[in-house]
Amino acid sequence: VRELGLLEHASEGQVLNYIGGEFVPAQAGRWLEDLDPARNRRIASIPRSESSDVDDAANAASEARRGAWGQSGVGERADLLEAVADKIEARLDDFARLESLDTGKPFALARSVDIPRAVANFRFFAGAVRHQSTGCHSMANALNYTVRKPVGTFGLITPWNLPLYLLSWKTAPALAMGNCVVAKPSELTPLTASALAEVFSEIGAPAGCFNLVHGLGAEVGQAIVEHEDITGISFTGGTETGKRVAATAAPMFKKLSLELGGKNPSIVFADCDLEKTVEGVVRAAFANQGQVCLCGSRILVERSIYDQFSAAFVERVRELRPGDPQQGDTNFGALISLGHRDKVEGYAKLAAEEGGEILCGGKRPELSGDLAEGAFFEPTVVAGLAPSSRCSTEEIFGPVVTLHPFDTEAEALEIANGVRYGLAASVWTNDLTRAHRVSEAIESGMVWVNTWLLRDLRVPFGGMKDSGVGREGGRHSLEFFSETRNICIQL
Ligand code: NAP
């Protein structure tokens, strides 16, 4: 990072916290290493912060709420979000490089999806807050009107798979509604959050409205969730961590949104457009090396086309070749860490033990030079496993998917709904009536028909069952990041 000069404040390769408008190290002066997973080499150091650093950030936020930020109007806040969007867009390549180095995802993907989406998030919520309205309910002798006020300070805790994409998805509506923010990105992917802090600094955002504290989940994340002055938590991450967050935040009556794990089905019916379906299901399975919470990792295929589909699917998957994420033509990058690669590899081994047949992948690719040290794993397709097997029900969160034949719509639904998760699904059919019927019967927060991850930022986003609580997106985010209050006037 120092050699590339991508982070101005980190000229010595030491990324800093951003608290009260200042870049500062952790009070205790401790550091963590930030690695490029494609080469397993250190690219920066980040502060290993503690609860005292969270105290500082929460105090800075409270100060900002008592100051000019607390008095700001909707127009001013929308202008600020647009200024942030413009600055990120102007540094698109820098942001994409940082994201790719930190995550191991292809630079081309970060440049075409992650960073443009962060820009869109800021622009979208600037527009949404400008256009929001609240209700008025008249009675014969009284008038009710509803107002939305800031909640206070929000802790935003985000995972490593879509670092800036998800941080901006929370930061933009939180600020739009007049709250302050204490953000903690995953310690594995701190860089674009720090670049975002530089943007807030450059545009002269009021000190303390956006604060960033780097460090470990068990230390900084937990301290944020426990902090008395942090009145709301928006958490995206794994289901087990989500449970801990909920157990801490619920007795404190914090506003809480939990976007958790998934084990999403892609359901392929015989009447689908096979070519488009194969293309779509491959993308759903392996986008970002299978490390998107929405990835379709259980592929259910109507038996009459099962052989034809699986042959075409595997042929297409073989075109995904792990390679250097920094090269423009790489279509499959590294996983987030060696530890995660080992976990994914463990599932590929388990698949064989559970009686599955590995149709492709199942091993580390042979890469040369320093990439040989990286966290790579081949895209892997497994057939022949029972839908109730561990590989078919546990979230792997990597490039390992399972194929399952089904005979009837009812059987497809039984398999689809037979897991603890309920985040997203995709249905592939040309029968419109079936598409409606199946989509409504799938237990998941989101269903795509003949597509995957087609996003309109206005629609509700979130999961059911063990995939989370609450919805974000459009007016749902504006409602979550505010207190809706009713005022009744006797006329
Ligand atoms: P994770 O281990 O649960 O971590 C998520 C965030 O929580 C990280 O910033 C982590 O910090 C922090 N954290 C850990 N322990 C904490 C604690 N006790 N209190 C507060 N914060 C704590 O998840 P991950 O491995 O980063 O991400 C993968 C998971 O995220 C998958 O399950 C995936 O499905 C899910 N995800 C869900 C969505 C969605 O929208 N539903 C989107 C993306 C990802 P450290 O990293 O420093 O430990």
Side-chain angles (χ1 to χ4, degrees):
V1 163
R2 186 186 57 216
E3 285 155 24
L4 295 170
L6 295 175
L7 281 172
E8 215 169 287
H9 80 273
S11 54
E12 296 305 314
Q14 289 183 325
V15 171
L16 299 174
N17 291 336
Y18 183 65
I19 297 177
E22 304 286 337
F23 286 98
V24 290
Q27 283 185 26
R30 295 202 293 165
W31 299 91
L32 294 164
E33 286 199 330
D34 180 28
L35 302 177
D36 164 6
R39 293 178 162 81
N40 196 32
R41 63 171 179 191
R42 190 179 78 86
I43 48 175
S45 302
I46 64 163
R48 181 168 176 175
S49 311
E50 297 174 6
S51 57
S52 54
D53 302 291
V54 174
D55 283 342
D56 283 355
N59 289 341
S62 300
E63 187 86 353
R65 287 190 356 252
R66 286 191 292 271
W69 179 250
Q71 305 303 317
S72 61
V74 160
E76 215 175 311
R77 300 199 296 263
D79 288 350
L80 181 123
L81 299 187
E82 277 160 5
V84 172
D86 291 347
K87 285 276 180 198
I88 299 174
E89 196 168 46
R91 291 185 60 196
L92 174 64
D93 282 350
D94 289 355
F95 270 92
R97 187 65 67 200
L98 289 169
E99 203 72 300
S100 170
L101 281 170
D102 236 0
T103 57
K105 71 176 69 193
F107 170 74
L109 181 71
R111 195 179 187 284
S112 60
V113 176
D114 293 67
I115 310 304
R117 173 58 194 281
V119 172
N121 286 340
F122 281 105
R123 292 215 172 110
F124 172 80
F125 282 109
V129 76
R130 279 192 212 281
H131 294 279
Q132 69 153 344
S133 57
T134 54
C136 174
H137 298 87
S138 326
M139 300 164 75
N141 56 354
L143 179 68
N144 292 276
Y145 68 96
T146 306
V147 292
R148 290 217 182 98
K149 295 288 182 190
V151 178
T153 300
F154 266 93
L156 308 182
I157 301 176
T158 45
W160 46 258
N161 64 329
L162 301 166
L164 190 67
Y165 182 123
L166 290 172
L167 179 59
S168 55
W169 180 239
K170 299 177 188 301
T171 299
L175 294 181
M177 298 311 286
N179 304 284
C180 291
V181 158
V182 177
K184 192 212 90 69
S186 166
E187 98 275 4
L188 300 175
T189 54
L191 298 182
T192 47
S194 276
L196 179 64
E198 287 190 352
V199 165
F200 277 100
S201 173
E202 272 172 51
I203 64 169
C209 70
F210 175 84
N211 304 281
L212 176 64
V213 186
H214 289 294
L216 299 173
E219 296 174 0
V220 174
Q222 187 70 26
I224 288 176
V225 179
E226 285 173 2
H227 205 286
E228 276 185 357
D229 296 340
I230 297 180
T231 39
I233 301 289
S234 175
F235 172 85
T236 299
T239 295
E240 294 313 310
T241 320
K243 267 189 203 167
R244 275 201 296 281
V245 169
T248 309
M252 299 175 81
F253 305 111
K254 295 193 178 198
K255 269 206 134 181
L256 182 61
S257 164
L258 297 169
E259 302 285 353
L260 309 177
K263 186 74 178 178
N264 311 300
S266 300
I267 309 180
V268 179
F269 287 98
D271 62 8
C272 70
D273 178 326
L274 193 64
E275 206 176 313
K276 285 189 186 150
T277 300
V278 168
E279 196 57 38
V281 174
V282 168
R283 187 174 147 257
F286 295 110
N288 201 36
Q289 295 73 247
Q291 303 169 125
V292 179
C293 54
L294 307 164
C295 273
S297 53
R298 294 183 295 147
I299 302 162
L300 322 184
V301 187
E302 195 164 356
R303 197 177 300 276
S304 60
I305 61 159
Y306 181 82
D307 290 343
Q308 195 188 358
F309 177 89
S310 45
F313 182 74
V314 169
E315 192 183 320
R316 180 67 188 81
V317 173
R318 287 188 202 279
E319 290 170 20
L320 300 173
R321 298 227 168 77
D324 185 353
Q326 304 311 321
Q327 297 299 322
D329 55 353
T330 296
N331 60 17
F332 199 84
L335 306 192
I336 187 61
S337 65
L338 293 179
H340 189 56
R341 192 268 314 275
D342 293 349
K343 176 189 151 188
V344 170
E345 189 174 50
Y347 273 104
K349 286 188 182 140
L350 177 65
E353 285 162 28
E354 287 188 308
E357 181 191 357
I358 309 246
L359 301 184
C360 68
K363 58 182 177 19
R364 305 175 188 186
E366 283 173 20
L367 296 173
S368 57
D370 50 5
L371 294 177
E373 308 298 317
F376 291 93
F377 200 73
E378 289 185 359
T380 300
V381 182
V382 185
L385 284 177
S388 58
S389 63
R390 281 187 56 200
C391 283
S392 313
T393 53
E394 295 177 12
E395 186 185 40
I396 299 173
F397 210 56
V400 175
V401 302
T402 56
L403 288 175
H404 307 273
F406 67 84
D407 289 302
T408 62
E409 202 177 291
E411 190 191 357
L413 282 169
E414 194 183 321
I415 300 172
N417 292 338
V419 293
R420 61 192 283 225
Y421 297 106
L423 186 57
S426 66
V427 178
W428 303 81
T429 175
N430 276 324
D431 179 337
L432 187 58
T433 307
R434 190 209 300 269
H436 277 301
R437 194 171 54 229
V438 171
S439 299
E440 291 196 12
I442 298 174
E443 295 163 359
S444 75
M446 294 161 280
V447 180
W448 282 284
V449 175
N450 294 331
T451 186
W452 177 76
L453 196 41
L454 179 59
R455 292 281 289 121
D456 181 324
L457 303 186
R458 293 170 298 184
V459 308
F461 181 98
M464 48 195 277
K465 294 160 76 174
D466 285 9
S467 291
V469 181
R471 295 291 179 271
E472 295 186 356
R475 70 178 173 80
H476 304 278
S477 292
L478 299 186
E479 281 166 15
F480 172 68
F481 286 106
S482 61
E483 287 292 1
T484 305
R485 287 151 51 171
N486 189 65
I487 295 167
C488 178
I489 303 178
Q490 167 82 62
L491 298 176

